[in-house]
mmCIF file of all heavy atoms in Angstrom:
data_model
loop_
_atom_site.group_PDB
_atom_site.id
_atom_site.type_symbol
_atom_site.label_atom_id
_atom_site.label_comp_id
_atom_site.label_asym_id
_atom_site.label_seq_id
_atom_site.Cartn_x
_atom_site.Cartn_y
_atom_site.Cartn_z
ATOM 1 N N LEU A 1 0.821 -1.213 0.000
ATOM 2 C CA LEU A 1 0.000 0.000 0.000
ATOM 3 C C LEU A 1 0.852 1.260 0.000
ATOM 4 O O LEU A 1 0.663 2.165 -0.830
ATOM 5 C CB LEU A 1 -0.924 0.008 1.224
ATOM 6 C CG LEU A 1 -2.146 -0.910 1.178
ATOM 7 C CD1 LEU A 1 -2.741 -1.075 2.566
ATOM 8 C CD2 LEU A 1 -3.189 -0.361 0.208
ATOM 9 N N ASN A 2 1.805 1.312 0.917
ATOM 10 C CA ASN A 2 2.616 2.519 1.030
ATOM 11 C C ASN A 2 3.569 2.691 -0.151
ATOM 12 O O ASN A 2 3.921 3.815 -0.508
ATOM 13 C CB ASN A 2 3.373 2.510 2.354
ATOM 14 C CG ASN A 2 2.441 2.710 3.543
ATOM 15 O OD1 ASN A 2 1.781 3.733 3.658
ATOM 16 N ND2 ASN A 2 2.352 1.718 4.413
ATOM 17 N N SER A 3 3.963 1.586 -0.769
ATOM 18 C CA SER A 3 4.764 1.680 -1.994
ATOM 19 C C SER A 3 3.936 2.327 -3.100
ATOM 20 O O SER A 3 4.437 3.185 -3.846
ATOM 21 C CB SER A 3 5.223 0.286 -2.433
ATOM 22 O OG SER A 3 6.091 -0.281 -1.481
ATOM 23 N N CYS A 4 2.666 1.934 -3.197
ATOM 24 C CA CYS A 4 1.778 2.541 -4.198
ATOM 25 C C CYS A 4 1.536 4.016 -3.900
ATOM 26 O O CYS A 4 1.495 4.841 -4.818
ATOM 27 C CB CYS A 4 0.449 1.786 -4.236
ATOM 28 S SG CYS A 4 0.531 0.142 -4.959
ATOM 29 N N PHE A 5 1.380 4.347 -2.617
ATOM 30 C CA PHE A 5 1.161 5.748 -2.256
ATOM 31 C C PHE A 5 2.350 6.622 -2.669
ATOM 32 O O PHE A 5 2.186 7.785 -3.036
ATOM 33 C CB PHE A 5 0.935 5.882 -0.746
ATOM 34 C CG PHE A 5 -0.296 5.175 -0.245
ATOM 35 C CD1 PHE A 5 -0.381 4.774 1.080
ATOM 36 C CD2 PHE A 5 -1.358 4.904 -1.083
ATOM 37 C CE1 PHE A 5 -1.513 4.120 1.556
ATOM 38 C CE2 PHE A 5 -2.494 4.246 -0.624
ATOM 39 C CZ PHE A 5 -2.566 3.854 0.706
ATOM 40 N N LEU A 6 3.550 6.043 -2.603
ATOM 41 C CA LEU A 6 4.752 6.789 -2.966
ATOM 42 C C LEU A 6 4.976 6.833 -4.480
ATOM 43 O O LEU A 6 5.364 7.868 -5.027
ATOM 44 C CB LEU A 6 5.976 6.171 -2.287
ATOM 45 C CG LEU A 6 6.077 6.348 -0.769
ATOM 46 C CD1 LEU A 6 7.194 5.482 -0.210
ATOM 47 C CD2 LEU A 6 6.301 7.816 -0.417
ATOM 48 N N LEU A 7 4.719 5.704 -5.143
ATOM 49 C CA LEU A 7 5.002 5.607 -6.581
ATOM 50 C C LEU A 7 3.859 6.138 -7.443
ATOM 51 O O LEU A 7 4.090 6.647 -8.546
ATOM 52 C CB LEU A 7 5.290 4.152 -6.956
ATOM 53 C CG LEU A 7 6.509 3.520 -6.289
ATOM 54 C CD1 LEU A 7 6.589 2.031 -6.635
ATOM 55 C CD2 LEU A 7 7.784 4.240 -6.734
ATOM 56 N N LEU A 8 2.633 6.000 -6.949
ATOM 57 C CA LEU A 8 1.457 6.467 -7.691
ATOM 58 C C LEU A 8 0.587 7.338 -6.785
ATOM 59 O O LEU A 8 -0.543 6.981 -6.446
ATOM 60 C CB LEU A 8 0.644 5.284 -8.209
ATOM 61 C CG LEU A 8 1.301 4.409 -9.277
ATOM 62 C CD1 LEU A 8 0.497 3.130 -9.481
ATOM 63 C CD2 LEU A 8 1.418 5.180 -10.596
ATOM 64 N N PRO A 9 1.116 8.478 -6.359
ATOM 65 C CA PRO A 9 0.359 9.343 -5.440
ATOM 66 C C PRO A 9 -0.926 9.853 -6.091
ATOM 67 O O PRO A 9 -0.882 10.628 -7.037
ATOM 68 C CB PRO A 9 1.340 10.484 -5.145
ATOM 69 C CG PRO A 9 2.261 10.506 -6.329
ATOM 70 C CD PRO A 9 2.395 9.082 -6.771
ATOM 71 N N SER A 10 -2.044 9.401 -5.580
ATOM 72 C CA SER A 10 -3.327 9.719 -6.208
ATOM 73 C C SER A 10 -4.253 10.458 -5.256
ATOM 74 O O SER A 10 -4.045 10.491 -4.043
ATOM 75 C CB SER A 10 -4.002 8.424 -6.678
ATOM 76 O OG SER A 10 -4.198 7.557 -5.583
ATOM 77 N N GLU A 11 -5.301 11.031 -5.833
ATOM 78 C CA GLU A 11 -6.293 11.748 -5.045
ATOM 79 C C GLU A 11 -7.673 11.548 -5.647
ATOM 80 O O GLU A 11 -7.810 11.164 -6.809
ATOM 81 C CB GLU A 11 -5.960 13.242 -4.978
ATOM 82 C CG GLU A 11 -5.971 13.940 -6.327
ATOM 83 C CD GLU A 11 -5.662 15.417 -6.218
ATOM 84 O OE1 GLU A 11 -5.680 15.934 -5.094
ATOM 85 O OE2 GLU A 11 -5.436 16.039 -7.261
ATOM 86 N N TYR A 12 -8.684 11.809 -4.835
ATOM 87 C CA TYR A 12 -10.069 11.722 -5.284
ATOM 88 C C TYR A 12 -10.736 13.052 -4.923
ATOM 89 O O TYR A 12 -11.143 13.247 -3.773
ATOM 90 C CB TYR A 12 -10.774 10.559 -4.602
ATOM 91 C CG TYR A 12 -12.177 10.269 -5.089
ATOM 92 C CD1 TYR A 12 -12.776 11.011 -6.101
ATOM 93 C CD2 TYR A 12 -12.921 9.237 -4.531
ATOM 94 C CE1 TYR A 12 -14.056 10.738 -6.547
ATOM 95 C CE2 TYR A 12 -14.203 8.942 -4.959
ATOM 96 C CZ TYR A 12 -14.765 9.706 -5.967
ATOM 97 O OH TYR A 12 -16.030 9.424 -6.409
ATOM 98 N N PRO A 13 -10.843 13.968 -5.880
ATOM 99 C CA PRO A 13 -11.408 15.292 -5.587
ATOM 100 C C PRO A 13 -12.799 15.193 -4.967
ATOM 101 O O PRO A 13 -13.644 14.424 -5.425
ATOM 102 C CB PRO A 13 -11.476 15.944 -6.981
ATOM 103 C CG PRO A 13 -10.433 15.235 -7.781
ATOM 104 C CD PRO A 13 -10.462 13.814 -7.287
ATOM 105 N N ARG A 14 -13.029 15.967 -3.909
ATOM 106 C CA ARG A 14 -14.319 15.938 -3.226
ATOM 107 C C ARG A 14 -15.096 17.217 -3.467
ATOM 108 O O ARG A 14 -14.518 18.292 -3.624
ATOM 109 C CB ARG A 14 -14.104 15.780 -1.725
ATOM 110 C CG ARG A 14 -13.471 14.468 -1.295
ATOM 111 C CD ARG A 14 -13.117 14.542 0.168
ATOM 112 N NE ARG A 14 -12.517 13.308 0.669
ATOM 113 C CZ ARG A 14 -11.758 13.248 1.740
ATOM 114 N NH1 ARG A 14 -11.512 14.360 2.435
ATOM 115 N NH2 ARG A 14 -11.248 12.093 2.142
ATOM 116 N N SER A 15 -16.407 17.086 -3.433
ATOM 117 C CA SER A 15 -17.261 18.264 -3.508
ATOM 118 C C SER A 15 -17.448 18.820 -2.103
ATOM 119 O O SER A 15 -17.193 18.146 -1.105
ATOM 120 C CB SER A 15 -18.619 17.893 -4.110
ATOM 121 O OG SER A 15 -19.234 16.875 -3.343
ATOM 122 N N THR A 16 -17.902 20.036 -2.022
ATOM 123 C CA THR A 16 -18.083 20.698 -0.720
ATOM 124 C C THR A 16 -19.210 20.042 0.074
ATOM 125 O O THR A 16 -20.246 19.668 -0.483
ATOM 126 C CB THR A 16 -18.414 22.185 -0.924
ATOM 127 O OG1 THR A 16 -17.383 22.794 -1.693
ATOM 128 C CG2 THR A 16 -18.523 22.900 0.415
ATOM 129 N N LEU A 17 -18.998 19.912 1.355
ATOM 130 C CA LEU A 17 -20.015 19.345 2.238
ATOM 131 C C LEU A 17 -20.333 20.351 3.334
ATOM 132 O O LEU A 17 -19.452 20.813 4.043
ATOM 133 C CB LEU A 17 -19.512 18.032 2.858
ATOM 134 C CG LEU A 17 -20.420 17.393 3.920
ATOM 135 C CD1 LEU A 17 -21.731 16.935 3.288
ATOM 136 C CD2 LEU A 17 -19.714 16.212 4.600
ATOM 137 N N GLU A 18 -21.629 20.695 3.438
ATOM 138 C CA GLU A 18 -22.083 21.586 4.503
ATOM 139 C C GLU A 18 -22.920 20.754 5.479
ATOM 140 O O GLU A 18 -24.104 20.514 5.235
ATOM 141 C CB GLU A 18 -22.897 22.736 3.924
ATOM 142 C CG GLU A 18 -22.080 23.635 2.991
ATOM 143 C CD GLU A 18 -22.895 24.787 2.446
ATOM 144 O OE1 GLU A 18 -24.098 24.881 2.812
ATOM 145 O OE2 GLU A 18 -22.352 25.576 1.666
ATOM 146 N N PRO A 19 -22.312 20.299 6.571
ATOM 147 C CA PRO A 19 -22.984 19.353 7.464
ATOM 148 C C PRO A 19 -24.147 19.950 8.248
ATOM 149 O O PRO A 19 -24.065 21.064 8.771
ATOM 150 C CB PRO A 19 -21.866 18.921 8.409
ATOM 151 C CG PRO A 19 -20.899 20.068 8.407
ATOM 152 C CD PRO A 19 -20.956 20.630 7.020
ATOM 153 N N THR A 20 -25.226 19.183 8.314
ATOM 154 C CA THR A 20 -26.389 19.571 9.115
ATOM 155 C C THR A 20 -26.846 18.424 10.017
ATOM 156 O O THR A 20 -27.437 18.655 11.076
ATOM 157 C CB THR A 20 -27.563 19.994 8.211
ATOM 158 O OG1 THR A 20 -27.880 18.917 7.318
ATOM 159 C CG2 THR A 20 -27.210 21.252 7.406
ATOM 160 N N THR A 21 -26.582 17.186 9.611
ATOM 161 C CA THR A 21 -26.992 16.022 10.407
ATOM 162 C C THR A 21 -25.782 15.445 11.137
ATOM 163 O O THR A 21 -24.636 15.803 10.856
ATOM 164 C CB THR A 21 -27.595 14.938 9.506
ATOM 165 O OG1 THR A 21 -26.578 14.409 8.647
ATOM 166 C CG2 THR A 21 -28.731 15.500 8.670
ATOM 167 N N MET A 22 -26.037 14.517 12.055
ATOM 168 C CA MET A 22 -24.957 13.855 12.787
ATOM 169 C C MET A 22 -24.032 13.103 11.827
ATOM 170 O O MET A 22 -22.808 13.156 11.961
ATOM 171 C CB MET A 22 -25.544 12.880 13.813
ATOM 172 C CG MET A 22 -26.146 13.545 15.039
ATOM 173 S SD MET A 22 -24.860 14.246 16.127
ATOM 174 C CE MET A 22 -24.096 12.745 16.717
ATOM 175 N N SER A 23 -24.620 12.421 10.865
ATOM 176 C CA SER A 23 -23.815 11.659 9.900
ATOM 177 C C SER A 23 -22.951 12.589 9.073
ATOM 178 O O SER A 23 -21.771 12.303 8.817
ATOM 179 C CB SER A 23 -24.731 10.838 8.980
ATOM 180 O OG SER A 23 -25.443 9.870 9.705
ATOM 181 N N GLU A 24 -23.509 13.708 8.672
ATOM 182 C CA GLU A 24 -22.749 14.669 7.867
ATOM 183 C C GLU A 24 -21.638 15.317 8.686
ATOM 184 O O GLU A 24 -20.555 15.571 8.156
ATOM 185 C CB GLU A 24 -23.696 15.740 7.306
ATOM 186 C CG GLU A 24 -24.629 15.214 6.229
ATOM 187 C CD GLU A 24 -25.662 16.232 5.802
ATOM 188 O OE1 GLU A 24 -25.866 17.220 6.549
ATOM 189 O OE2 GLU A 24 -26.283 16.055 4.749
ATOM 190 N N ARG A 25 -21.888 15.552 9.956
ATOM 191 C CA ARG A 25 -20.842 16.124 10.811
ATOM 192 C C ARG A 25 -19.693 15.139 10.983
ATOM 193 O O ARG A 25 -18.517 15.534 10.952
ATOM 194 C CB ARG A 25 -21.427 16.505 12.166
ATOM 195 C CG ARG A 25 -22.397 17.698 12.119
ATOM 196 C CD ARG A 25 -22.773 18.166 13.519
ATOM 197 N NE ARG A 25 -23.742 19.256 13.464
ATOM 198 C CZ ARG A 25 -25.058 19.088 13.562
ATOM 199 N NH1 ARG A 25 -25.556 17.861 13.754
ATOM 200 N NH2 ARG A 25 -25.879 20.116 13.496
ATOM 201 N N LEU A 26 -20.021 13.871 11.186
ATOM 202 C CA LEU A 26 -18.969 12.863 11.315
ATOM 203 C C LEU A 26 -18.205 12.720 10.003
ATOM 204 O O LEU A 26 -16.971 12.582 10.011
ATOM 205 C CB LEU A 26 -19.572 11.514 11.716
ATOM 206 C CG LEU A 26 -18.578 10.351 11.865
ATOM 207 C CD1 LEU A 26 -17.488 10.686 12.878
ATOM 208 C CD2 LEU A 26 -19.304 9.067 12.263
ATOM 209 N N LEU A 27 -18.914 12.789 8.882
ATOM 210 C CA LEU A 27 -18.247 12.693 7.581
ATOM 211 C C LEU A 27 -17.355 13.901 7.346
ATOM 212 O O LEU A 27 -16.232 13.763 6.830
ATOM 213 C CB LEU A 27 -19.289 12.584 6.470
ATOM 214 C CG LEU A 27 -18.737 12.468 5.045
ATOM 215 C CD1 LEU A 27 -17.789 11.284 4.920
ATOM 216 C CD2 LEU A 27 -19.880 12.354 4.038
ATOM 217 N N SER A 28 -17.828 15.081 7.738
ATOM 218 C CA SER A 28 -17.015 16.288 7.593
ATOM 219 C C SER A 28 -15.738 16.177 8.424
ATOM 220 O O SER A 28 -14.651 16.557 7.963
ATOM 221 C CB SER A 28 -17.824 17.512 8.043
ATOM 222 O OG SER A 28 -17.055 18.690 7.935
ATOM 223 N N TRP A 29 -15.858 15.654 9.630
ATOM 224 C CA TRP A 29 -14.669 15.437 10.463
ATOM 225 C C TRP A 29 -13.734 14.431 9.818
ATOM 226 O O TRP A 29 -12.511 14.603 9.821
ATOM 227 C CB TRP A 29 -15.092 14.956 11.848
ATOM 228 C CG TRP A 29 -13.930 14.597 12.723
ATOM 229 C CD1 TRP A 29 -13.166 15.442 13.473
ATOM 230 C CD2 TRP A 29 -13.372 13.277 12.911
ATOM 231 N NE1 TRP A 29 -12.166 14.746 14.121
ATOM 232 C CE2 TRP A 29 -12.268 13.423 13.795
ATOM 233 C CE3 TRP A 29 -13.697 12.024 12.433
ATOM 234 C CZ2 TRP A 29 -11.501 12.321 14.194
ATOM 235 C CZ3 TRP A 29 -12.942 10.937 12.827
ATOM 236 C CH2 TRP A 29 -11.849 11.090 13.697
ATOM 237 N N THR A 30 -14.302 13.377 9.254
ATOM 238 C CA THR A 30 -13.509 12.361 8.568
ATOM 239 C C THR A 30 -12.728 12.980 7.417
ATOM 240 O O THR A 30 -11.540 12.685 7.230
ATOM 241 C CB THR A 30 -14.411 11.237 8.024
ATOM 242 O OG1 THR A 30 -15.159 10.667 9.107
ATOM 243 C CG2 THR A 30 -13.579 10.149 7.345
ATOM 244 N N TYR A 31 -13.383 13.826 6.650
ATOM 245 C CA TYR A 31 -12.709 14.523 5.542
ATOM 246 C C TYR A 31 -11.553 15.382 6.048
ATOM 247 O O TYR A 31 -10.503 15.466 5.418
ATOM 248 C CB TYR A 31 -13.705 15.421 4.794
ATOM 249 C CG TYR A 31 -14.664 14.704 3.872
ATOM 250 C CD1 TYR A 31 -15.730 15.388 3.285
ATOM 251 C CD2 TYR A 31 -14.522 13.352 3.580
ATOM 252 C CE1 TYR A 31 -16.610 14.757 2.427
ATOM 253 C CE2 TYR A 31 -15.403 12.702 2.734
ATOM 254 C CZ TYR A 31 -16.451 13.411 2.152
ATOM 255 O OH TYR A 31 -17.319 12.777 1.298
ATOM 256 N N SER A 32 -11.762 16.028 7.208
ATOM 257 C CA SER A 32 -10.721 16.921 7.731
ATOM 258 C C SER A 32 -9.506 16.143 8.240
ATOM 259 O O SER A 32 -8.375 16.624 8.164
ATOM 260 C CB SER A 32 -11.293 17.779 8.865
ATOM 261 O OG SER A 32 -11.610 16.987 10.005
ATOM 262 N N VAL A 33 -9.741 14.936 8.745
ATOM 263 C CA VAL A 33 -8.652 14.107 9.266
ATOM 264 C C VAL A 33 -7.950 13.350 8.152
ATOM 265 O O VAL A 33 -6.716 13.244 8.125
ATOM 266 C CB VAL A 33 -9.188 13.112 10.324
ATOM 267 C CG1 VAL A 33 -8.098 12.133 10.736
ATOM 268 C CG2 VAL A 33 -9.720 13.862 11.530
#
């Protein structure tokens, strides 16, 4: 896994999330971490 992260550094662009529910707040925190 870490070899791939170094050799093929990739990303998955995210759209903006404006949390209002408990699930959305936890997801927003997950995105920040």
Side-chain angles (χ1 to χ4, degrees):
L1 284 165
N2 290 299
S3 295
C4 289
F5 297 156
L6 290 170
L7 298 174
L8 293 169
S10 59
E11 62 179 347
Y12 186 1
R14 295 171 179 158
S15 57
T16 303
L17 174 66
E18 297 181 1
T20 57
T21 67
M22 285 289 292
S23 296
E24 290 173 343
R25 291 189 183 95
L26 179 57
L27 180 56
S28 179
W29 175 83
T30 303
Y31 284 171
S32 68
V33 173

